[in-house]
Amino acid sequence: MRWSPNWTRIRALGLVLALAALTLPALADGPVVHTYFAPNPEEDLSLSATTAGGSMPAALETPSGTVQAPDPSKSPEESEVAYGGTSTPSSVDANYRIDRNTTRPEVVSYDDPFIPAVTPFKRLYAYDSVDDGLELVVNDKRLSRVSIGGNVESGDDQFYGDMVVDLAEDTAVRIPSVGPGARVLAAHTNPETRFELYRDGADNWFIKAPERKRVRLVMQLAIHRSVFGSDFADVGYRALSRWVPVLPASAGPAASEVLGKLGLSPAVSPRAAVQTLVSHFRSFTPSTAWPKGAGADLYKELALTQKGVCRHRAYAFVITALAQGIPARMVRNEAHAWVEVYDGSLWHRIDLGGAAERMDTEQDPTEPQHRPPDDPYSWPEGSESGQELAQRTLAGSGGQPEPGSGGDAGAATSVAGDGGVQQTPAPAPSTSPTSSLETDAGLMAPEVDERPASTVTLGPIERQVKRGEPLPVKGKVEADGKGCEGVRVDFKLRTPTGRMISIQSLSTVAGGAYDGAIVVPPGVDVGDYELVVSTDGNPQCGSGSSE
């Protein structure tokens, strides 16, 4: 649990006791000049106490409860999740390509640096435009300064941010925010260093400093509470047009067909169109029958068959909303994806559901979880929100990922002191063609997977790569001697204790080949790992791994 001593109260107590020592008889062991009190957020509020140095309030009153400030003097640790590194406005993660794997993930990892916790809605990557290849991108990557200072306004929610950041010399590196339009009222680093905060056109946040250093960044943040739950304003398309980037010609026909199927046209008001879009994309369901298309065909298939999890919903929503003339963004982090829509005065966060089954997080369950306003949009029966995933996790039903799963194999790797990854051979664990179904009555007979098992090959990789930088990978997925087209290939790191760290996924093309780049997360600790490469297959190809 994050905590900090009530520094203001300790200083005042020391002064009182020192004065009392002038008039009271000396004790046998001398006068007591100070003592320690456990943090008391309610008392901090009543005394208007501040953190050490007076940089920010020692506690905040929020709709989620009273929260204690993190300790701004705490040093960053090597083992903590770190942001920044080589994640920049133009790094590989600045664009987003959708995949075909529409199955629901069993478990995802997540880190939340905010108090109250916004799990699973930490805002790390946002995309507001579409390129010719139907990848999501940032329309305006120019950076503007984020000012530090100001006051809490009526209707604001407040948060603390407490995160470890790997600064890069004279380079803007990515950090998370709590939501669109958030403001920084105070900020401090330990060790102290000069820094500036920036945002791009999609409101991605970055920090820039003159030296390379690992620091703890502590912030006091404010954001209009309506962002997290309020109705879209009654506004016209002409008023919104200045914020809507032009869709590429490659997306036009498919987007027009989707709009027609949804009954949307310029005759439908933006407010009503948002209602229709939310209802449609919240009605998606995970599917093992993966789509087969690519580019515009893949977008259209996802949108019209309503297949997929959070990222597929958000991706297709954004393209459709932009085609309708509504400013929209896809926002994601390592665990969840959702959308934002703009009505000319406020960006609205809208969750479309499709979260994972479980979440692996080290969040202290005693810390308050952010309580947003009521959701203005209804949820279809049987759907599940990201908020429910967070509640289930905090209630204890979420768990740690399994140390390994059948079909995972690859190469042993180590993250070196300079952030490099090195490859050495590693044996592949055995796989099983069956799985068991468990009911209240016990174990049923194994369910036979009749698909032919896939073989995943992994070509040579670079012996060393810095964390946060692309690592080229290539190989092939085959079953019964035939290439498996359109399957997802998952890359993970297995720690010495068996914990799995998801890195990235690629999709195979014609002939079952994959060729791309994965990125080792900047927050991965230095140490030895196994690079795990596997696939769940598709209706024609079973699961498998590299040999």
Side-chain angles (χ1 to χ4, degrees):
M1 178 178 178
R2 298 181 179 94
W3 63 273
S4 64
N6 186 335
W7 297 105
T8 300
R9 200 164 65 249
I10 289 174
R11 288 197 299 269
L13 180 62
L15 176 60
V16 171
L17 291 175
L19 292 174
L22 297 177
T23 58
L24 294 177
L27 301 177
D29 295 327
V32 177
V33 295
H34 64 83
T35 190
Y36 170 76
F37 284 87
N40 185 329
E42 300 293 343
E43 188 173 341
D44 287 343
L45 283 173
S46 65
L47 295 176
S48 299
T50 64
T51 58
S55 58
M56 62 187 69
L60 297 175
E61 181 65 45
T62 79
S64 307
T66 304
V67 295
Q68 187 80 32
D71 183 359
S73 65
K74 182 181 177 182
S75 298
E77 298 178 6
E78 186 64 30
S79 61
E80 293 183 270
V81 172
Y83 299 92
T86 54
S87 184
T88 69
S90 58
S91 57
V92 66
D93 49 22
N95 291 10
Y96 186 78
R97 176 181 295 179
I98 195 62
D99 63 278
R100 295 189 183 94
N101 188 347
T102 52
T103 56
R104 186 186 191 187
E106 179 182 355
V107 62
V108 291
S109 298
Y110 182 81
D111 169 73
D112 200 315
F114 299 109
I115 316 170
V118 294
T119 307
F121 298 107
K122 169 184 63 181
R123 196 179 190 279
L124 192 55
Y125 303 94
Y127 314 91
D128 62 357
S129 189
V130 186
D131 71 5
D132 290 336
L134 266 76
E135 289 190 13
L136 298 186
V137 297
V138 175
N139 185 51
D140 185 357
K141 291 187 176 182
R142 292 176 298 177
L143 300 182
S144 59
R145 186 83 59 84
V146 175
S147 61
I148 300 176
N151 300 309
V152 180
E153 299 175 359
S154 176
D156 275 350
D157 261 3
Q158 290 192 78
F159 297 84
Y160 290 114
D162 180 12
M163 64 193 74
V164 174
V165 182
D166 285 331
L167 301 174
E169 184 178 357
D170 293 325
T171 302
V173 295
R174 188 181 300 268
I175 60 173
S177 70
V178 292
R183 310 188 312 279
V184 183
L185 304 186
H188 170 83
T189 63
N190 185 44
E192 289 191 13
T193 188
R194 292 189 296 112
F195 67 90
E196 294 174 340
L197 301 176
Y198 293 90
R199 56 165 47 102
D200 64 17
D203 208 2
N204 292 292
W205 280 23
F206 303 89
I207 183 172
K208 184 177 181 181
E211 55 186 329
R212 180 178 179 179
K213 180 188 294 186
R214 171 165 285 204
V215 301
R216 179 175 300 281
L217 174 63
V218 176
M219 297 182 288
Q220 178 191 358
L221 306 168
I223 182 172
H224 204 286
R225 182 168 170 77
S226 297
V227 163
F228 304 117
S230 60
D231 287 318
F232 195 85
D234 190 7
V235 62
Y237 290 107
R238 178 175 296 181
L240 299 178
S241 61
R242 58 180 293 195
W243 294 288
V244 180
V246 177
L247 278 180
S250 55
S256 295
E257 184 174 344
V258 172
L259 289 173
K261 295 288 186 181
L262 270 59
L264 295 178
S265 70
V268 179
S269 71
R271 186 175 188 176
V274 169
Q275 177 77 52
T276 298
L277 290 170
V278 173
S279 176
H280 178 81
F281 287 96
R282 278 185 173 177
S283 299
F284 273 43
T285 56
S287 173
T288 57
W290 295 5
K292 301 181 182 300
D297 290 335
L298 176 57
Y299 151 69
K300 183 172 69 174
E301 187 173 356
L302 290 171
L304 296 183
T305 62
Q306 295 178 293
K307 293 180 181 178
V309 290
C310 57
R311 62 186 182 273
H312 304 97
R313 306 170 191 216
Y315 170 82
F317 180 105
V318 166
I319 295 176
T320 311
L322 293 177
Q324 178 67 14
I326 298 169
R329 299 167 175 160
M330 172 181 173
V331 187
R332 70 176 182 91
N333 54 47
E334 70 271 30
H336 194 44
W338 60 97
V339 298
E340 295 169 355
V341 293
Y342 189 57
D343 62 12
S345 59
L346 188 74
W347 282 97
H348 301 258
R349 186 184 78 185
I350 301 177
D351 182 25
L352 301 175
E357 176 69 26
R358 295 181 295 144
M359 187 162 52
D360 173 19
T361 179
E362 296 182 0
Q363 180 181 335
D364 189 334
T366 64
E367 289 185 351
Q369 173 75 14
H370 179 236
R371 300 173 187 170
D374 291 340
D375 193 331
Y377 305 103
S378 61
W379 284 91
E381 184 176 354
S383 58
E384 187 176 79
S385 68
Q387 199 79 24
E388 290 173 311
L389 170 62
Q391 292 170 352
R392 187 170 62 248
T393 298
L394 295 177
S397 58
Q400 298 293 323
E402 297 296 327
S405 59
D408 285 347
T413 67
S414 64
V415 178
D418 59 357
V421 177
Q422 299 175 327
Q423 179 186 21
T424 56
S430 61
T431 61
S432 171
T434 63
S435 61
S436 296
L437 299 179
E438 187 173 2
T439 68
D440 292 339
L443 287 174
M444 298 174 59
E447 180 184 30
V448 178
D449 186 352
E450 297 180 350
R451 302 174 300 170
S454 294
T455 299
V456 182
T457 58
L458 172 66
I461 64 173
E462 296 288 337
R463 290 186 58 83
Q464 202 161 16
V465 61
K466 291 183 178 180
R467 293 175 293 187
E469 291 190 353
L471 170 64
V473 291
K474 62 192 309 182
K476 196 171 185 179
V477 180
E478 295 180 302
D480 274 354
K482 299 179 180 179
C484 299
E485 180 180 353
V487 302
R488 193 181 83 176
V489 182
D490 298 319
F491 296 83
K492 305 175 184 177
L493 295 178
R494 193 199 308 271
T495 70
T497 62
R499 180 171 177 265
M500 303 297 293
I501 303 173
S502 295
I503 304 177
Q504 200 170 323
S505 299
L506 299 175
S507 294
T508 59
V509 295
Y514 64 88
D515 187 352
I518 60 175
V519 178
V520 177
V524 171
D525 296 337
V526 172
D528 294 326
Y529 297 85
E530 181 185 357
L531 178 61
V532 176
V533 188
S534 65
T535 181
D536 290 333
N538 61 15
Q540 290 74 43
C541 302
S543 61
S545 66
S546 58
E547 296 181 347

